[in-house]
Amino acid sequence: MEPVTDTIASAAALVGLVYGAMEVVRDIRVVVGGMLRVARGSGDGGQAEAAPAVDLAGACGLGTSTSSTGMENELTCRRTTSDHCHQKLNHGKGRNVQFDDLPEDVICLIFSKLQLKDLVSTSVLSSKWKHMWTICPTLRFDSSTLCGSNMCSAEQFTQKFIDNVNAVLQQHRGKLVEALEIKIDFNSRLANHLSNWVSFAVSSKTKSLAFYLPQNYTSNVFYIFPFELLDVKTLSRLQHIQLGFVSLIKLPFQFSGFPNLKKLDLLLLRTTREDLEDMIANCPNLEWLSLNRCHIDDELKFDRPFTRLIYLQVIHCQITKIEIDAVNLKAFVYKGFKLRVDLSEEKGLETVDIEFFGIALDYLLTAIPSALPSVQNLTIEARILQEVCSLNALFAKTPTF
């Protein structure tokens, strides 16, 4: 109920119904309680009214019809201890105000703030709301919640996920979608569908795109992200990209980069030095960059300065060295062995968090101060190769490790 409460409170503030919002929150709680009673077969017994919905939490597929007449009756506002609040909500003496009586733009605002799963559930409450869930501007598909934990084969699980995602996207066809996120264990059956979903993001003018496709570490089959499907307008529109367990090899010849991308999050990316450099270098307005377990066994050098970059994170990457010009960098996070990033010229660094694995104490005491001469707040967690010397070895100046 917290998302609903917060959403309704903010919506009421926009229209000046501060007191009325308290009543609306109470009404929503009554509605949810009524939903549970209807689900248990203890509803009001009214005439069933068709209200198709996509069930995102249980078994994948299209949901079934349920009674809504009794649920609409549950929306009636009740008198509270505050007569003033009651008068605010009532248009006339003795008349009860329903949730539907709120202005349509306020209802749309409330619904737009709900998670997709919760939003779909509202379609069973009223015939007027059965398509309201399609206004949700953010689509997040996580197989662990989308298809539940039903016992089924990997092929059946994947097919259920595909069918349900396609059903939801079909309902959003032709509408603006701010963000599209896909999370599922990758297998080859998904490849064509993933590309279709990228095309959907293009046609829906998506600004945030996330594909997280974990798999067995021993697998050599990665989804090749289809950058060729991104037209010039899409490249310019995207502001946030998150790619995990995908392949970035041989960027299209006509690839011009992401001129307005602000956040780039790369995890276990299979790529080459040239392609990774080309992709990042063509994001001149980056503000947030994360490289997590991106292994190229080579250096990364960027000739173009990143004047807007304020956050940089490098975690367990097999990269021998990173040369980056980010004069306005404020925060830096690093996990790995010896520091591979030279930030000696970044004078405005405010916060640095470092976690080292297996380094010598002298490196910690000498190399770090020279690499980060201007940092204001430095936190280091290190597993140090500690010298353990016997007394004779100490005098003989031959320490053992």
Side-chain angles (χ1 to χ4, degrees):
M1 289 309 302
E2 290 183 2
V4 179
T5 303
D6 295 340
T7 301
I8 293 177
S10 61
L14 291 175
V15 296
L17 298 177
V18 176
Y19 295 110
M22 298 171 61
E23 289 293 316
V24 175
V25 170
R26 183 176 291 103
D27 294 338
I28 295 297
R29 288 174 176 164
V30 171
V31 169
V32 174
M35 289 179 64
L36 296 177
R37 290 196 293 275
V38 170
R40 291 194 296 265
S42 59
D44 293 336
Q47 181 66 31
E49 182 177 343
V54 179
D55 181 8
L56 299 182
C60 291
L62 293 179
T64 57
S65 301
T66 185
S67 174
S68 63
T69 304
M71 296 306 302
E72 290 176 346
N73 294 334
E74 292 282 0
L75 290 173
T76 303
C77 293
R78 302 172 183 179
R79 181 177 298 276
T80 66
T81 55
S82 172
D83 292 336
H84 181 67
C85 291
H86 184 69
Q87 293 171 3
K88 283 284 186 179
L89 282 179
N90 284 347
H91 296 292
K93 185 176 180 180
R95 178 184 175 187
N96 290 324
V97 179
Q98 295 184 338
F99 186 74
D100 278 346
D101 291 328
L102 288 174
E104 183 177 350
D105 56 342
V106 176
I107 296 178
C108 289
L109 176 62
I110 293 172
F111 282 4
S112 69
K113 300 299 183 180
L114 297 177
Q115 294 294 329
L116 182 59
K117 183 176 68 173
D118 298 328
L119 190 58
V120 169
S121 299
T122 65
S123 63
V124 304
L125 301 180
S126 169
S127 59
K128 298 179 182 179
W129 297 354
K130 64 182 179 181
H131 298 302
M132 202 65 130
W133 65 272
T134 60
I135 68 172
C136 184
T138 300
L139 302 180
R140 295 186 177 94
F141 300 101
D142 186 341
S143 61
S144 62
T145 56
L146 189 64
C147 295
S149 56
N150 296 334
M151 298 299 294
C152 59
S153 67
E155 291 186 358
Q156 291 174 326
F157 186 88
T158 300
Q159 190 58 50
K160 287 179 179 179
F161 182 83
I162 292 171
D163 292 343
N164 211 25
V165 172
N166 286 337
V168 174
L169 297 190
Q170 182 61 37
Q171 294 290 335
H172 284 77
R173 191 72 62 182
K175 296 181 174 66
L176 294 179
V177 175
E178 291 284 333
L180 175 64
E181 300 179 10
I182 303 291
K183 181 180 179 182
I184 185 175
D185 292 350
F186 178 74
N187 63 65
S188 57
R189 295 186 60 192
L190 284 164
N192 290 334
H193 296 281
L194 289 168
S195 296
N196 291 337
W197 299 338
V198 172
S199 297
F200 169 85
V202 172
S203 64
S204 301
K205 300 181 180 180
T206 298
K207 295 180 181 179
S208 176
L209 188 62
F211 275 44
Y212 183 73
L213 310 172
Q215 57 182 298
N216 193 309
Y217 283 96
T218 61
S219 175
N220 291 319
V221 181
F222 277 65
Y223 174 63
I224 301 176
F225 191 84
F227 282 93
E228 66 276 5
L229 296 179
L230 306 180
D231 57 27
V232 175
K233 291 183 178 179
T234 302
L235 293 173
S236 179
R237 186 183 304 113
L238 282 169
Q239 297 181 9
H240 175 204
I241 294 178
Q242 181 181 15
L243 298 176
F245 294 85
V246 304
S247 178
L248 170 60
I249 298 177
K250 295 182 179 179
L251 287 171
F253 178 75
Q254 71 277 13
F255 179 74
S256 58
F258 302 93
N260 296 308
L261 194 70
K262 296 180 180 179
K263 184 174 182 179
L264 180 60
D265 188 354
L266 303 177
L267 168 64
L268 274 163
L269 197 69
R270 175 171 290 186
T271 186
T272 64
R273 168 187 173 176
E274 292 77 12
D275 287 320
L276 188 57
E277 282 182 345
D278 193 20
M279 180 181 181
I280 297 176
N282 284 287
C283 303
N285 291 307
L286 268 184
E287 299 176 1
W288 197 100
L289 174 61
S290 175
L291 301 175
N292 192 335
R293 294 175 175 85
C294 296
H295 307 317
I296 61 172
D297 294 318
D298 206 340
E299 297 182 349
L300 281 181
K301 295 182 179 180
F302 303 104
D303 297 329
R304 173 182 293 178
F306 294 88
T307 57
R308 296 179 179 270
L309 189 66
I310 59 176
Y311 180 91
L312 175 62
Q313 177 174 269
V314 179
I315 297 180
H316 301 303
C317 291
Q318 292 181 11
I319 299 176
T320 57
K321 186 179 181 181
I322 299 178
E323 294 185 8
I324 186 169
D325 182 3
V327 295
N328 294 311
L329 191 67
K330 301 299 182 184
F332 175 56
V333 177
Y334 182 86
K335 293 183 181 181
F337 293 96
K338 291 185 177 181
L339 189 63
R340 309 294 185 182
V341 185
D342 183 6
L343 300 176
S344 58
E345 299 300 322
E346 277 61 49
K347 305 301 182 181
L349 260 179
E350 297 177 357
T351 303
V352 173
D353 292 307
I354 297 178
E355 185 174 348
F356 283 126
F357 298 87
I359 64 169
L361 183 59
D362 59 346
Y363 172 81
L364 186 63
L365 297 178
T366 58
I368 297 303
S370 61
L372 302 167
S374 305
V375 64
Q376 299 178 26
N377 301 290
L378 175 62
T379 301
I380 297 179
E381 180 179 341
R383 293 165 177 81
I384 299 175
L385 294 174
Q386 187 176 12
E387 290 187 1
V388 180
C389 307
S390 66
L391 187 59
N392 291 334
L394 180 62
F395 285 112
K397 296 182 180 181
T398 55
T400 59
F401 291 86

